[in-house]
Amino acid sequence: MASRLPRSLRIARASLISRSAELSSEPQRFTSTLAPLLATTSTAEPAPYWQHIWKDVNKTTFLTYRWQTKNTIERPEKLLEFLKTVVPERVPSASGSAKLDVQHTSREAFVEDVYMGMAKAPMSVRLTPHVLSVINWRAPLQDPILRQFLPLSSRILPDHPELTLDSLHEESDSPVPGLVHRYPDKVLFLATSVCPVYCRFCTRSYAVGADTESITKHSLKPARRRWDAMFEYIEKTSAIQDVVVSGGDSYYLDPTHLTRIGHRLLDIPHIKRFRFATKGLAVCPMRMTDPNDAWVNAFVEISNRGREMGKEVAMHTHFNHPNEITWATEMAARALFQRGVRVRNQTVLLRGVNDTTPTMASLVRKLSDLMIQPYYVYLGDMVKGVEDLRTSLATALDIEQSLIGSIAGFNMPKFVVDLPGGGGKRLITSYETYDRVTGLSTWKAPAVTGDRIFQYHDPVKHE
């Protein structure tokens, strides 16, 4: 089988095997004690939740953005090496989902499963030390954070026949490269195609991240010439009032680039509001509090200038599970609140991650406590390669129904589906028809596409 695998992954595994003897005797950069992971909100000195991996790294070092980026894992050989140090010799099976998991009994089997999964996945792997620290490596198959980022070959299911890479038809709705104009008064400004981490379920797997063995990406690099063409279109189209700056991730924009985009948008008279989309607060909150990094100061300056001009500037972030929130997250979120930054959260409903009412309720309440508005919960987009993560429309309807009335209305997120084919966002209760047996739902988006009918398909049921 190894001879049929992609060359880059064969090299990574060969490198790891050749060093296995050395790894058992060399002093390790990663030293795992497999300690339980605990977030704290007490006034006592917060627990160093990363020291079950980096036991010699102190708080000051771990909280620097430069250290986080330097120790981010993004190459296959580094990931496989890391897994050898944190995964126990015997890996417990995934509780409650045995039908979707090989019954791993060894560390080697787990690492091999990841290795084979990377050969199939549409997204490359990139993980920050913060994310690696909140994963429960003692039982990785049961961990909701790992499930979002690491592809396991044994979990990957056949794609529904209607799945595509660009399910939302963003490229079709782009008058200039990187600018999506679907709604009459709003555009999506794709500033970059790089993120601090890469989610398996990314709706822009056609463009975001490095090329994989299965996909060559339509990369959108942060180029001034491309941005100028996007700005010119916005300036000439007076109906546009609202801009979402995304990518990729705004977190990976240089502070000077962030300022350039923010000021240019503020100076366009008909732009009334815009937001920067970033998963940074969830996966690397240190940049928000690091005094030696200029990104957050640039963001706050744009926000303050917008407020003085009577224009709204916001941050939209992306938490999917309560375990992603640590005291470092709380510190960053409160710092943003104290500096007047409005933060909203967009969650994706994912099978085995947050597809139960208790988990979703806990996430919503924790975000609300951090002054982060729970804004949207998205039904998973119909993108290729992540059928094991998609849930049915019925699951979303049931969770929403269970939450209504138990959470204050202003903190109750809207459950939505972003319609395949370019129909835009619709409340999940606004379907025209839904057959729970076949999993087919039909929809209209009158304000966007008139009477056109769109279809959303639940994932195929597997026994």
Side-chain angles (χ1 to χ4, degrees):
M1 178 177 291
S3 63
R4 296 195 295 272
L5 289 169
R7 183 172 181 270
S8 62
L9 288 177
R10 294 202 307 272
I11 292 173
R13 183 166 64 171
S15 174
L16 181 64
I17 292 173
S18 68
R19 291 198 61 218
S20 60
E22 300 173 33
L23 287 172
S24 62
S25 58
E26 287 182 353
Q28 292 301 302
R29 179 176 50 177
F30 313 114
T31 308
S32 174
T33 59
L34 300 173
L37 302 172
L38 297 173
T40 179
T41 57
S42 70
T43 57
E45 179 66 20
Y49 61 90
W50 60 90
Q51 287 190 350
H52 62 295
I53 300 174
W54 292 278
K55 70 175 185 179
D56 296 325
V57 175
N58 62 30
K59 176 181 173 182
T60 300
T61 299
F62 188 79
L63 293 183
T64 60
Y65 179 65
R66 184 174 182 180
W67 188 90
Q68 289 284 321
T69 55
K70 181 179 180 181
N71 290 278
T72 290
I73 292 179
E74 53 187 326
R75 297 202 310 271
E77 64 271 19
K78 291 295 184 182
L79 175 63
L80 297 178
E81 176 186 326
F82 174 83
L83 293 177
K84 281 282 189 178
T85 68
V86 295
V87 175
E89 291 186 7
R90 296 184 62 83
V91 181
S93 64
S95 175
S97 57
K99 292 181 179 179
L100 294 179
D101 286 283
V102 173
Q103 296 298 299
H104 294 289
T105 57
S106 69
R107 175 193 298 140
E108 288 71 23
F110 176 84
V111 173
E112 181 74 7
D113 204 5
V114 173
Y115 167 74
M116 299 295 291
M118 287 191 291
K120 302 176 182 179
M123 292 298 294
S124 53
V125 173
R126 172 181 278 171
L127 291 166
T128 62
H130 171 78
V131 171
L132 293 167
S133 297
V134 298
I135 292 173
N136 180 8
W137 292 106
R138 296 188 302 173
L141 292 176
Q142 301 170 23
D143 189 81
I145 314 303
L146 180 142
R147 189 171 178 84
Q148 299 177 57
F149 299 108
L150 283 192
L152 297 179
S153 178
S154 62
R155 282 181 170 168
I156 294 176
L157 299 175
D159 285 333
H160 189 288
E162 296 297 323
L163 300 189
T164 62
L165 283 178
D166 182 11
S167 71
L168 305 184
H169 288 198
E170 290 183 338
E171 291 187 306
S172 301
D173 288 334
S174 296
V176 295
L179 189 74
V180 181
H181 191 184
R182 174 172 300 137
Y183 304 99
D185 66 346
K186 184 178 77 173
V187 292
L188 173 65
F189 188 111
L190 299 176
T192 181
S193 55
V194 182
C195 300
V197 299
Y198 293 132
C199 307
R200 289 184 53 217
F201 50 90
C202 181
T203 193
R204 296 191 188 100
S205 55
Y206 69 89
V208 170
D211 292 346
T212 67
E213 302 298 342
S214 59
I215 298 176
T216 300
K217 305 299 177 82
H218 301 173
S219 179
L220 297 168
K221 295 182 180 179
R224 184 167 186 169
R225 180 178 297 178
R226 183 174 68 84
W227 288 357
D228 284 343
M230 296 156 72
F231 284 127
E232 289 171 7
Y233 177 88
I234 295 171
E235 289 167 344
K236 292 176 182 177
T237 311
S238 59
I240 299 172
Q241 296 186 334
D242 192 348
V243 181
V244 179
V245 182
S246 186
D249 196 304
S250 299
Y251 222 47
Y252 254 45
L253 292 174
D254 183 86
T256 60
H257 292 169
L258 193 73
T259 298
R260 180 185 301 167
I261 293 172
H263 285 192
R264 184 79 177 262
L265 291 176
L266 286 173
D267 289 339
I268 300 174
H270 54 267
I271 297 302
K272 305 301 182 183
R273 66 198 64 86
F274 59 91
R275 57 267 202 189
F276 290 93
T278 174
K279 197 174 171 67
L281 184 57
V283 300
C284 190
M286 297 73 193
R287 191 165 206 185
M288 304 296 184
T289 55
D290 188 343
N292 297 313
D293 188 87
W295 191 93
V296 72
N297 290 334
F299 192 102
V300 171
E301 188 274 332
I302 297 167
S303 175
N304 290 342
R305 184 166 181 245
R307 189 177 300 108
E308 292 171 358
M309 298 173 67
K311 299 187 177 188
E312 182 188 66
V313 178
M315 178 184 296
H316 281 199
T317 192
H318 178 189
F319 289 86
N320 287 328
H321 194 277
N323 288 2
E324 296 168 14
I325 299 172
T326 70
W327 58 261
T329 318
E330 296 176 8
M331 186 167 63
R334 297 193 189 285
L336 290 172
F337 178 71
Q338 290 166 3
R339 300 184 73 178
V341 175
R342 175 171 292 186
V343 184
R344 303 185 185 102
N345 185 70
Q346 301 182 149
T347 293
V348 179
L349 189 64
L350 300 168
R351 180 162 47 165
V353 175
N354 55 17
D355 58 337
T356 67
T357 299
T359 299
M360 189 60 70
S362 175
L363 175 62
V364 168
R365 290 191 173 96
K366 284 193 172 188
L367 292 171
S368 300
D369 289 346
L370 295 179
M371 308 302 174
I372 299 172
Q373 181 189 355
Y375 180 39
Y376 278 144
V377 176
Y378 285 91
L379 201 58
D381 290 330
M382 291 179 57
V383 294
K384 288 185 174 183
V386 290
E387 196 71 342
D388 59 300
L389 288 176
R390 286 207 303 133
T391 70
S392 65
L393 173 59
T395 298
L397 290 166
D398 292 345
I399 293 175
E400 182 185 46
Q401 185 66 23
S402 298
L403 287 178
I404 293 175
S406 68
I407 292 171
F410 58 85
N411 278 336
M412 179 67 191
K414 296 177 181 179
F415 281 65
V416 297
V417 56
D418 211 341
L419 294 178
K425 301 177 189 67
R426 305 297 293 170
L427 296 175
I428 62 169
T429 53
S430 66
Y431 57 82
E432 298 290 317
T433 64
Y434 179 39
D435 187 327
R436 292 191 179 218
V437 176
T438 65
L440 174 63
S441 54
T442 60
W443 310 74
K444 287 183 179 180
V448 181
T449 58
D451 290 331
R452 179 182 169 187
I453 299 294
F454 296 86
Q455 294 184 342
Y456 183 90
H457 296 266
D458 289 348
V460 175
K461 295 179 180 179
H462 292 268
E463 298 299 329

